[in-house]
Amino acid sequence: MVGLTRWPRAAADLAALGLVGIGAHNVIQSGFGRYLVVVHKVGSPRGPAPSLPVEVAHHASVLGGIQGAVLLALGIWLLPLTVLPDARRLLGREPDPALTRRVRELTETRAEAVNSAAAELRRIERDLHDGAQGRLVAIGMNLRVAEEMVHSSPHEAAALVVEARVASAAALEELRGLIRGMHPPMLADRGLGEAVRALALDLPLPCETEIDLPERLDAPLESACYFAVAEVVTNAVRHASARGLQIRMAQADGLLRIEVVDDGVGGADPTGGSGLAGVERRLAAFDGILAVSSPPGGPTIVVMEVPCG
């Protein structure tokens, strides 16, 4: 049983070879048994009829041959599915299926990561162009006009300066928000646990946190997990009509497990094109997985597991 679970491929190969060996042995033994019966009959052609043990041996030999032929056919049918692919792989003529599957998964996750990075870059460029950049251009124009009017119309110039100061404060706030969206300072300075606690404190509803992270993780992994949690709690606040949240996070045995629970209306579906699909793609770049339980009426439980060894 241990061998089946630890080495299933080798167990399948041994089973196929065993069927071929047992079937061939039974067929050969059946043929040899029938030969002995024929020799016994030929040796006494005019004597009495063969005794009962000889007839029994003949029938047993025939049944053994049939059984052996069935086992042999089954083993031969299994050989191309088990032994031959492994033999070609060991001889270097066929790639390892597990390695091929792993390469395909890495190719897909790399493409997703590249697409996500490109989309994030376009979002940053759009936010800068539509927000802070426009405000800074307006500030420059107001200051230029105020400079020209400072002697002729000091009151109007002062009003333009005040307007420029208000616009500069708004532009600064937009830039800070953009920076927080790219990589929150709390995440860079204090790590994932403190950043998630700060995120929970900023939510407009009660949120309990249970976080057990004995050490800092790699920066890319911390960033991916932080934004995954942020996306999940944002969905709970905006779409689930939740009244409370729970965030549990623990690291053990080289695995980071994150659990987000809300008491909202439920019905969350990662395959429905929601933000959960993006979370799943984000975690897949780190070999992470996402599991969602969200029956109608709630609660919604989102579990994320990411290797962090």
Side-chain angles (χ1 to χ4, degrees), residues 30-260:
S30 172
F32 185 70
R34 289 197 300 271
Y35 170 76
L36 291 179
V37 171
V38 171
V39 169
H40 178 80
K41 291 182 177 180
V42 172
S44 54
R46 298 178 181 178
S51 61
L52 182 61
V54 174
E55 291 295 332
V56 172
H58 175 70
H59 291 304
S61 176
V62 172
L63 293 176
I66 295 174
Q67 183 184 25
V70 172
L71 294 178
L72 181 61
L74 180 60
I76 293 175
W77 179 75
L78 288 175
L79 285 179
L81 304 176
T82 56
V83 179
L84 296 182
D86 290 341
R88 287 194 295 266
R89 179 177 56 83
L90 292 176
L91 294 175
R93 297 180 180 179
E94 184 173 304
D96 187 353
L99 181 60
T100 302
R101 183 173 61 254
R102 179 61 174 161
V103 170
R104 184 173 63 253
E105 292 174 354
L106 290 177
T107 302
E108 293 174 354
T109 54
R110 183 188 63 180
E112 291 289 348
V114 171
N115 293 336
S116 298
E120 187 69 12
L121 181 60
R122 289 193 297 269
R123 182 189 67 83
I124 294 172
E125 292 175 346
R126 184 176 63 252
D127 291 346
L128 284 174
H129 181 270
D130 298 341
Q133 180 178 345
R135 293 185 184 277
L136 292 175
V137 171
I139 290 171
M141 295 175 62
N142 286 342
L143 291 177
R144 186 179 302 110
V145 174
E147 182 181 6
E148 296 174 355
M149 298 174 59
V150 66
H151 297 293
S152 60
S153 302
H155 294 290
E156 295 181 5
L160 290 175
V161 171
V162 171
E163 184 179 346
R165 179 177 58 81
V166 173
S168 67
L172 181 60
E173 185 61 28
E174 288 185 357
L175 289 174
R176 286 174 177 171
L178 186 61
I179 292 173
R180 285 194 298 269
M182 295 169 58
H183 196 78
M186 179 67 75
L187 179 62
D189 298 337
R190 306 291 296 277
L192 178 61
E194 295 300 325
V196 171
R197 288 191 181 96
L199 175 67
L201 292 175
D202 290 337
L203 294 176
L205 49 80
C207 181
E208 300 178 3
T209 57
E210 297 179 12
I211 299 176
D212 181 17
L213 299 180
E215 59 185 11
R216 289 289 300 269
L217 306 176
D218 293 338
L221 180 58
E222 284 190 335
S223 179
C225 292
Y226 173 83
F227 286 109
V229 173
E231 180 67 29
V232 172
V233 299
T234 300
N235 286 343
V237 172
R238 291 181 178 177
H239 308 296
S241 301
R243 297 180 301 273
L245 282 167
Q246 293 180 343
I247 301 175
R248 303 185 185 95
M249 188 179 302
Q251 176 187 359
D253 299 329
L255 188 69
L256 175 63
R257 177 183 174 88
I258 305 172
E259 184 176 327
V260 181

Side-chain angles (χ1 to χ4, degrees), residues 280-299:
E280 189 172 19
R281 290 193 299 268
R282 185 189 294 271
L283 297 178
F286 298 88
D287 292 335
I289 59 174
L290 173 75
V292 180
S293 173
S294 184

